[in-house]
Amino acid sequence: MKTTAVRLYGKNDLRMESFDLPDIKDDEILLKVVADSLCMSTWKAVQAGADHKRVPDDVAANPIIIGHELTGVLQKIGKKWADQFASGQMVTIQPALNYKGSMDSPGYSYKYCGGDATYIILPPEVMIVGALLPVEVDGYFKSALSEPYSCVIGAMHSLFRTSRQKHEHTLGMKAGGTLAIIGGCGPMGLAALDYALAADQHPGHVVVSDQDEKKIARAKLIFDSVAKDRGIRLDIVNTKNKDDYEVLYEVSDKKKYDDILVMLPIPAVLETADRLLAFNGCMNFFAGPIDTNLSAKVNFYDVHYFEKHIIGTTGGNNDDQKEALSLMEKNLIHPEALVTHVGGLNSAAETTMNLPKIGGGKKLIYTHKKFPLISLEELPSIAEKSSFLTGLSEIVVANNGLWSPEAEQYVLSNAPSID
């Protein structure tokens, strides 16, 4: 079986190559990848190469396939798993395996398992830990995005407050409370907002801040009506050239926040969040920094007397991703809100290398297709360049500029093959 994949050889060394996969063993599964969503975590791994804690030391000699937000269709099932899975079944994976304490993860550590490929081999540990998840949602892109949603769902479930009477922790967002998502109009911030509006245990007031007016306008267009329909107050505010603390304090009716998610690895932002945190509130530093010495001032007087809680989370687990898939099946969350670019496998390496510069939201790669990365916002202006782009633009424009199962099916049916 031949596969075409984007492989990491070392720092800033990505190559798209075709090569032979070995025959699967009885405890492995062959998967046809259909879509993979690119993640900033992969960009960080590319910058670090073998210095990354999940990337093997011998990556130069044994390159790994990148990509971990993937979805596809099972092709061949090893005998060990024949009673649990079937050929033709649509699946996704939870890459945080934590198998026997190992840091190994699809998209970072495996020679034959990563999302930016046409075909891959799932190692036995994926199935052993229950990380191969059946999918019933209407869209490969939704399934691929269930992994980033699992990360914010895990972050929300990790929020907590304490009780002096029983010395117990109550987990999750404070029901009916106030939630701030600082720097929240990027893809992960929007996923957090989306989940906050959909969760059974949800806040009464959500405030999202950002400094990009175009992103803010897009977020309002998508989520204002959702919040209104669900009876949740939503304010999306621009703090550019303003005092972040004053803006966020005023919009909350001069009350501090029960829960805060910080989506930016900036000391000043962390310090603002610390000042905004209410009595017995919880702040989750969600943004993954590159700086191993990132520090910010914390008011420990408030930590002591106002019982403030500061945590950090990274990634989700199997249950978090199953919850994301369930919410997608019920149409309670909006993964299309995260997608701003689409491309073929031939665009994956360059896009990954330049993720911080490109901006926007999620970049979705259709691994069996060959076409350059396309901005959905710019699609109408380039539609005349080909009949393929014309047809795709008509579908996207009719859906208010958002990606959709119809747009995806159009790409799968009409875009050139990577082969």
Side-chain angles (χ1 to χ4, degrees):
M1 167 68 72
K2 277 225 179 259
T3 188
T4 300
V6 178
R7 298 200 285 184
L8 176 68
Y9 280 81
K11 293 181 180 179
N12 295 304
D13 188 355
L14 287 178
R15 309 176 198 174
M16 188 179 79
E17 302 170 316
S18 294
F19 54 94
D20 289 317
L21 291 175
D23 292 335
I24 66 166
K25 300 174 184 175
D26 287 346
D27 59 356
E28 296 176 331
I29 291 178
L30 179 68
L31 172 69
K32 176 184 178 181
V33 182
V34 176
D36 181 66
S37 171
L38 303 185
C39 179
M40 279 294 294
S41 295
T42 301
W43 177 81
K44 295 171 188 175
V46 172
Q47 303 306 301
D51 292 336
H52 192 279
K53 58 187 176 182
R54 294 187 188 274
V55 175
D57 292 338
D58 66 346
V59 68
N62 293 290
I64 60 93
I65 301 175
I66 63 167
H68 59 274
E69 299 177 2
L70 64 100
T71 185
V73 178
L74 299 181
Q75 299 295 290
K76 188 176 180 181
I77 315 298
K79 292 180 181 178
K80 182 173 181 178
W81 311 109
D83 61 339
Q84 297 182 41
F85 300 99
S87 178
Q89 188 174 14
M90 183 177 173
V91 296
T92 185
I93 65 170
Q94 168 52 247
L97 305 180
N98 297 314
Y99 179 63
K100 294 184 177 181
S102 171
M103 292 294 291
D104 287 355
S105 177
Y108 298 93
S109 316
Y110 290 97
K111 190 174 181 179
Y112 300 124
C113 186
D116 287 318
T118 52
Y119 294 92
I120 61 174
I121 295 175
L122 302 179
E125 49 266 35
V126 171
M127 286 68 78
I128 290 171
V129 302
L132 182 57
L133 307 177
V135 172
E136 296 182 9
V137 299
D138 62 336
Y140 289 103
F141 76 94
K142 295 181 182 181
S143 174
L145 291 171
S146 66
E147 193 283 331
Y149 269 94
S150 79
C151 298
V152 296
I153 290 173
M156 295 299 202
H157 285 317
S158 298
L159 296 167
F160 74 96
R161 52 219 81 252
T162 55
S163 169
R164 282 181 172 176
Q165 287 72 29
K166 297 181 180 180
H167 295 294
E168 293 178 349
H169 290 182
T170 301
L171 294 174
M173 295 174 285
K174 183 175 181 179
T178 51
L179 166 69
I181 306 173
I182 300 179
C185 286
M188 298 308 290
L190 293 183
L193 167 60
D194 203 9
Y195 179 71
L197 298 178
D200 289 337
Q201 183 176 319
H202 58 76
H205 186 193
V206 181
V207 176
V208 180
S209 71
D210 207 282
Q211 296 190 357
D212 187 320
E213 191 55 44
K214 288 177 68 174
K215 288 184 178 180
I216 290 170
R218 184 174 182 272
K220 287 180 177 180
L221 178 66
I222 298 168
F223 290 108
D224 275 354
S225 60
V226 176
K228 185 177 180 180
D229 290 344
R230 295 174 185 172
I232 300 172
R233 179 180 168 188
L234 173 63
D235 289 291
I236 305 177
V237 297
N238 191 337
T239 60
K240 188 174 183 179
N241 299 323
K242 299 175 183 177
D243 184 308
D244 287 32
Y245 177 86
E246 291 298 329
V247 173
L248 291 165
Y249 189 57
E250 287 291 331
V251 78
S252 68
D253 302 325
K254 296 186 177 180
K255 296 177 182 177
K256 295 194 174 183
Y257 291 85
D258 299 301
D259 297 299
I260 300 176
L261 260 66
V262 178
M263 314 303 288
L264 300 168
I266 301 173
V269 174
L270 286 162
E271 291 167 8
T272 295
D274 175 44
R275 292 175 62 200
L276 287 166
L277 198 58
F279 176 85
N280 205 9
C282 189
M283 178 177 79
N284 188 328
F285 176 46
F286 185 86
I290 296 177
D291 181 0
T292 57
N293 295 308
L294 179 69
S295 301
K297 294 179 181 178
V298 173
N299 186 328
F300 281 97
Y301 179 93
D302 285 358
V303 168
H304 180 80
Y305 285 106
F306 295 100
E307 301 181 19
K308 293 183 176 181
H309 315 294
I310 300 175
I311 64 171
T313 59
T314 177
N317 60 29
N318 293 350
D319 289 338
D320 297 328
Q321 196 159 347
K322 288 176 182 177
E323 184 176 356
L325 290 167
S326 176
L327 290 170
M328 289 177 185
E329 290 170 15
K330 298 172 184 175
N331 293 316
L332 291 176
I333 55 177
H334 307 78
E336 63 274 8
L338 277 59
V339 180
T340 58
H341 297 71
V342 296
L345 184 61
N346 58 302
S347 70
E350 183 179 0
T351 301
T352 300
M353 294 280 286
N354 292 284
L355 275 177
K357 300 176 184 177
I358 297 172
K362 280 292 185 181
K363 286 75 184 173
L364 192 67
I365 299 298
Y366 288 99
T367 59
H368 286 259
K369 297 301 176 179
K370 182 180 181 179
F371 62 99
L373 190 73
I374 297 169
S375 164
L376 300 188
E377 182 183 12
E378 297 172 3
L379 183 54
S381 66
I382 62 172
E384 64 205 25
K385 292 185 177 181
S386 71
S387 58
F388 168 70
L389 292 175
T390 299
L392 183 59
S393 179
E394 289 173 356
I395 296 171
V396 172
V397 169
N399 197 43
N400 295 317
L402 298 176
W403 201 238
S404 65
E406 293 77 17
E408 175 175 88
Q409 190 54 54
Y410 178 87
V411 165
L412 295 177
S413 299
N414 295 281
S417 170
I418 192 66
D419 299 325

